[in-house]
Amino acid sequence: MKNIHKIFTLLLVLTVSIPVTAQQTPAPAQSEAISITGVTAHIGNGSVIENTTIVFENGKITAMGANAPTKGRVINAQGKHVYPGFITVNNTLGLGEVDAVKASMDVNEIGTITPNVRSLIAYNAESKLVESMRPNGVLLGQIVPRGGRITGTSSVVQFDAWNWEDAAVKVDDAIHMNWPNSFSRGRWWLGESRAFQPNKDYSEDIQKARDFFNGAKAYNSGQTKEKNLAFESVKGLFDGSKKLYVNADSEKEIIDAVIFAKELGIQHTVLVGGYQAYKITEFLKQNNVAVIVGRTQSTPSFEDDDYDLPYKSPKLLHDAGLLVSIDPSGSMERMNTRNLPFYAGQVVGQGMNKEDALQLITSNASKILGIDADYGTLEVGKSATLFISEGDALDVRGNILTHAFIDGRELSLQSHHTNLYERYSNKLETDK
């Protein structure tokens, strides 16, 4: 018994002596009015207001303008810039922490058709990766499950919360689908050719998805009483309360996917990826399809593509009159989401107006997600979800935040990265 007590005591000492590093405590509700003065306001709708004042109370912007009277606490931001909080779409933030540690990953579910899988209840609000978004101005995001043909149901969250319930901004906003590939490569490990070959199962894969959605329509019209959670989860696609996000890249796949959704009576379709969407912009406009393009800092998929196609793709689609945002998914997508403003800044280098590029990750993203009544632009009556930057927030040299707010709550801009920066900066000073 004495040995047991000794072991217990030793474990207790070890436990309390090990430093525990968790996410900062979420900010409390706004308790006093805050006025930001002398700032250049980038509204998020394409316009800029110089030397203005922004006042917000109880989480809402209450006044804006050069002559707006200050109230409460005053932040002098002369020479600085204020932006609406950046919004990331089609992301797995909070669903995975360390790729090599299986227990920390909750991105994929078993099964091919799993629309009733809800990303929100798996979202980890205390993720270190989520915390690292805020110092670059990324304050909201759409959290999406991956895997299978119909991957699940996404939700929109804000990035300063105790848990998923507190984080939720828009619950179960969309269903996500991976469209079948019309071409595939051979399996090199079996000696098959790596050249592109037509996918012989393409039509069959589409038919399986069509059968599911037709079954769901019948179920939700009351033709059967047997409970089916998968069918129930897609009901919103047919009454317009949910959108269908379809991942497709080639010209043929995009056209097939849009026609597929239209024939089924799905009211709102969003194209994700859309690598060749620039070839069929008129078709997409006619069908009112918004496009979430892949990250701009990437290389072309085919050797006969323009070398700068990924850089300029958002501009090509924007110039054609489409509603466009940027998708950070891909290699190390959760970590790389902090580069979202620089993906938008990349398009500026391709000739896109800077304020138009800003819309890709603010107002356009909010419109696609259906949260534009509260987020995405700096306007009286909207949420005070914004940040102050020393310079141009789309440029890595100017994206230096001094203050950030979500619904008027002032955030900590500390993270594991900033702690390491301060630690080793101090070391360098000491070593001189």
Side-chain angles (χ1 to χ4, degrees):
M1 182 65 72
K2 289 182 179 180
N3 288 335
I4 294 175
H5 283 304
K6 288 180 180 179
I7 292 172
F8 177 79
T9 303
L10 178 60
L11 289 173
L12 181 62
V13 171
L14 288 172
T15 301
V16 298
S17 63
I18 296 173
V20 178
T21 55
Q23 186 185 42
Q24 287 88 20
T25 301
Q30 184 180 2
S31 59
E32 63 173 333
I34 297 176
S35 302
I36 302 172
T37 62
V39 73
T40 298
H42 301 262
I43 306 303
N45 60 6
S47 60
V48 179
I49 304 176
E50 303 281 352
N51 194 29
T52 192
T53 295
I54 299 177
V55 183
F56 50 97
E57 299 179 70
N58 300 316
K60 298 287 186 181
I61 298 174
T62 56
M64 283 185 64
N67 299 317
T70 60
K71 189 175 182 181
R73 172 188 165 200
V74 176
I75 299 174
N76 183 357
Q78 192 72 41
K80 296 184 175 66
H81 302 258
V82 63
Y83 294 84
F86 296 152
I87 304 169
T88 176
V89 293
N90 188 42
N91 212 302
T92 57
L93 276 167
L95 300 184
E97 200 71 5
V98 181
D99 288 352
V101 181
K102 188 175 181 180
S104 74
M105 300 297 294
D106 203 5
V107 175
N108 300 324
E109 288 294 335
I110 297 173
T112 302
I113 297 179
T114 56
N116 49 310
V117 169
R118 302 175 66 223
S119 65
L120 182 61
I121 58 175
Y123 175 72
N124 175 20
E126 293 189 331
S127 166
K128 284 287 187 181
L129 297 174
V130 170
E131 176 184 277
S132 70
M133 299 301 112
R134 302 195 301 251
N136 279 15
V138 184
L139 305 183
L140 298 105
Q142 181 193 43
I143 310 305
V144 178
R146 302 265 196 256
R149 179 69 60 222
I150 302 175
T151 68
T153 304
S154 61
S155 290
V156 182
V157 300
Q158 51 87 5
F159 293 153
D160 183 59
W162 289 99
N163 47 48
W164 64 263
E165 292 95 338
D166 291 340
V169 170
K170 187 174 184 181
V171 176
D172 299 341
D173 70 306
I175 301 293
H176 294 256
M177 178 180 182
N178 291 316
W179 192 256
N181 292 320
S182 56
F183 283 80
S184 62
R185 291 179 183 268
R187 297 165 291 183
W188 62 266
W189 60 92
L190 294 179
E192 296 175 352
S193 170
R194 291 295 290 155
F196 281 101
Q197 302 290 335
N199 177 10
K200 63 182 187 303
D201 298 324
Y202 182 66
S203 297
E204 181 182 344
D205 291 341
I206 295 174
Q207 188 57 48
K208 287 179 181 177
R210 181 178 284 109
D211 290 343
F212 169 78
F213 283 116
N214 281 330
K217 286 181 71 175
Y219 175 89
N220 288 301
S221 65
Q223 295 182 27
T224 178
K225 294 182 179 180
E226 184 178 351
K227 193 169 186 63
N228 188 310
L229 295 178
F231 285 165
E232 288 183 10
S233 67
V234 301
K235 180 180 180 180
L237 294 178
F238 306 109
D239 63 22
S241 61
K242 287 184 181 179
K243 295 181 179 181
L244 177 66
Y245 285 63
V246 182
N247 292 264
D249 282 313
S250 79
E251 185 177 353
K252 172 179 172 53
E253 291 159 9
I254 294 169
I255 292 173
D256 288 347
V258 172
I259 292 174
F260 170 89
K262 194 170 183 179
E263 289 176 346
L264 286 168
I266 294 173
Q267 297 187 30
H268 304 293
T269 303
V270 176
L271 174 63
V272 181
Y275 185 78
Q276 294 185 340
Y278 71 96
K279 295 183 177 182
I280 50 173
T281 54
E282 283 304 314
F283 170 80
L284 295 172
K285 281 177 64 177
Q286 290 170 8
N287 289 280
N288 195 30
V289 176
V291 184
I292 302 172
V293 296
R295 62 170 73 165
T296 55
Q297 295 179 0
S298 57
T299 55
S301 297
F302 304 102
E303 53 187 37
D304 58 346
D305 287 335
D306 290 350
Y307 75 93
D308 58 352
L309 179 58
Y311 306 159
K312 66 184 180 183
S313 181
K315 182 179 187 302
L316 296 176
L317 299 175
H318 170 81
D319 290 348
L322 293 169
L323 183 62
V324 188
S325 187
I326 296 178
D327 169 15
S329 67
S331 176
M332 298 178 66
E333 69 176 74
R334 289 178 293 281
M335 288 69 81
N336 282 326
T337 299
R338 63 177 177 266
N339 293 325
L340 181 67
F342 314 134
Y343 295 154
Q346 183 84 46
V347 195
V348 177
Q350 300 301 306
M352 193 173 196
N353 177 277
K354 189 175 294 184
E355 299 308 315
D356 289 341
L358 175 64
Q359 292 183 73
L360 298 173
I361 55 175
T362 54
S363 60
N364 286 9
S366 68
K367 290 174 184 176
I368 292 172
L369 297 179
I371 58 172
D372 52 305
D374 295 304
Y375 301 95
T377 55
L378 301 176
E379 298 179 65
V380 172
K382 286 194 173 185
S383 169
T385 297
L386 50 88
F387 64 89
I388 303 171
S389 176
E390 293 278 3
D392 180 2
L394 301 188
D395 188 320
V396 68
R397 297 165 298 181
N399 187 298
I400 304 172
L401 272 63
T402 61
H403 300 78
F405 303 86
I406 292 179
D407 297 328
R409 299 178 294 109
E410 186 166 7
L411 312 180
S412 165
L413 294 176
Q414 290 294 308
S415 71
H416 182 61
H417 301 87
T418 58
N419 291 338
L420 288 176
Y421 171 80
E422 291 169 2
R423 175 185 177 185
Y424 287 101
S425 293
N426 291 335
K427 181 181 184 302
L428 291 173
E429 289 295 325
T430 303
D431 291 345
K432 286 183 178 179

